[in-house]
Amino acid sequence: MQTQALLSVCIPTFNRRDRVAALVQELLRAKCPLQICVHVDGSTDGTGKALAEIASRDARLVVTAGPNGGRGVAMFSAIASATGDYCMIFDDDDDLFTDRLPEVCERLSQRGVDDKIAGFVFSMVLGDQEATANPFPSERTNLIKMRADERVVGDKKEVIRTPLLKRAAVPPAGRFCRVPTSLLWSRLAIEYDVICVNVDVGRKRYLLEGMTARVRLLQRQNAYPMLLLNLNYIRAFWLGRYRSVRFLGKAVLACLSFGVLSFPFLLKRSFARVTS
């Protein structure tokens, strides 16, 4: 009998059949109650067929698929499939240290009764030699304060209570191929804290064909989600969730920049409402 999953690992993927299949098979070897939710974002390289074959042998793997809509669409779809107590969003080009997952699950099972704790955030090893990371300076913080006041840098791995993540994972109006994961974290940080754990749970890789290599262009092309993100940063400051005036200033400037880029979309959206 399959036990209730404690952790759902949510993976959006596009045309990385061999990498995502290897990642899924490695995850299925973990000795802890996992569920793996993969959304195949219009792949044309046989990813769906390869994952369906694995899923036919192991019910812990849930595979969904749809036309190519970008990482944002795939991420939201994977999260929607999750039924575990907690969710972890994981990119298909990164490595997860399977031997650390039992420790992660043990921490999840020992969570206290504080309803203001959304979950945990773990450290990651950075695969890019030019990238540097630092440890968490405090045990409890929020996902904006961590970056703004405590100057934590580098990719981390958030593990969030599933009902809270699903509530935060509402796609912006419109259809955007890139929705930053930090938009979800900013929504959660308005109200909830996280527990920081200085344990590396995986390795972040930066492939040349990945989204990180062209992130600035994608931000400009998908300006509205970036506008929403920075508006949340401003709101969080006024609510006292962080104190850095420098971080606030950067958010204000970003709102001006992405607001200008979002103007055609907002105008079109307003016109559609008037004529509907």
Side-chain angles (χ1 to χ4, degrees):
M1 183 180 296
Q2 185 180 359
T3 59
Q4 168 65 30
L6 181 59
L7 174 63
S8 294
V9 182
C10 300
I11 307 172
T13 189
F14 173 70
N15 278 354
R16 285 183 176 153
R17 179 191 61 196
D18 295 339
R19 289 190 67 88
V20 74
L23 173 61
V24 165
Q25 290 173 324
E26 181 64 23
L27 284 170
L28 290 173
R29 297 187 186 101
K31 304 298 183 182
C32 52
L34 288 182
Q35 178 195 43
I36 306 166
C37 302
V38 182
H39 183 82
V40 182
D41 186 37
S43 295
T44 57
D45 64 347
T47 299
K49 182 177 180 180
L51 292 176
E53 184 178 344
I54 299 172
S56 68
R57 303 192 301 266
D58 198 319
R60 291 175 295 170
L61 173 60
V62 177
V63 182
T64 56
N68 180 247
R71 182 183 181 277
V73 173
M75 176 178 68
F76 290 126
S77 296
I79 292 170
S81 299
T83 59
D85 295 335
Y86 287 82
C87 274
M88 173 194 293
I89 301 171
F90 207 81
D91 290 331
D92 60 3
D93 56 348
D94 296 336
D95 299 327
L96 196 56
F97 300 155
T98 311
D99 59 339
R100 299 283 173 83
L101 287 179
E103 181 179 353
V104 171
C105 288
E106 183 178 356
R107 288 180 182 270
L108 301 185
S109 64
Q110 294 174 352
R111 186 183 72 85
V113 295
D114 190 341
D115 288 337
K116 288 300 181 181
I117 298 293
F120 298 81
V121 55
F122 294 85
S123 55
M124 291 274 285
V125 176
L126 302 185
D128 189 336
Q129 293 182 353
E130 297 181 358
T132 57
N134 58 338
F136 302 111
S138 61
E139 181 181 4
R140 178 169 175 166
T141 186
N142 68 66
L143 291 170
I144 298 177
K145 181 180 179 181
M146 180 180 78
R147 306 289 187 177
D149 294 345
E150 299 171 358
R151 303 292 181 89
V152 172
V153 298
D155 285 271
K156 307 299 179 183
K157 190 49 57 185
E158 297 80 1
V159 181
I160 304 298
R161 285 191 279 155
T162 300
L164 295 181
L165 183 59
K166 287 192 174 187
R167 195 167 72 190
V170 177
R175 193 171 182 86
F176 302 95
C177 71
R178 182 185 185 273
V179 177
T181 314
S182 50
L183 176 58
L184 278 58
W185 306 150
S186 71
R187 290 169 174 171
L188 288 166
I190 296 293
E191 186 176 355
Y192 295 97
D193 292 343
V194 290
I195 300 299
C196 301
V197 185
N198 284 303
V199 171
D200 295 331
V201 297
R203 181 183 303 276
K204 180 67 183 178
R205 298 192 180 278
Y206 304 94
L207 301 184
L208 293 177
E209 74 275 15
M211 295 184 72
T212 303
R214 49 197 176 94
V215 64
R216 299 298 182 190
L217 174 62
L218 289 168
Q219 286 176 349
R220 292 194 297 271
Q221 291 174 340
N222 301 270
Y224 182 59
M226 294 300 299
L227 174 62
L228 296 178
L229 169 62
N230 284 280
L231 286 172
N232 280 345
Y233 287 160
I234 294 172
R235 182 186 175 202
F237 178 83
W238 292 115
L239 291 174
R241 298 298 283 163
Y242 70 94
R243 295 182 178 180
S244 173
V245 176
R246 180 175 178 271
F247 193 89
L248 171 65
K250 291 174 65 176
V252 170
L253 291 175
C255 277
L256 294 174
S257 174
F258 289 117
V260 170
L261 292 172
S262 300
F263 183 74
F265 165 76
L266 294 171
L267 187 64
K268 182 178 179 181
R269 182 181 169 193
S270 299
F271 180 77
R273 284 180 175 177
V274 170
T275 57
S276 62

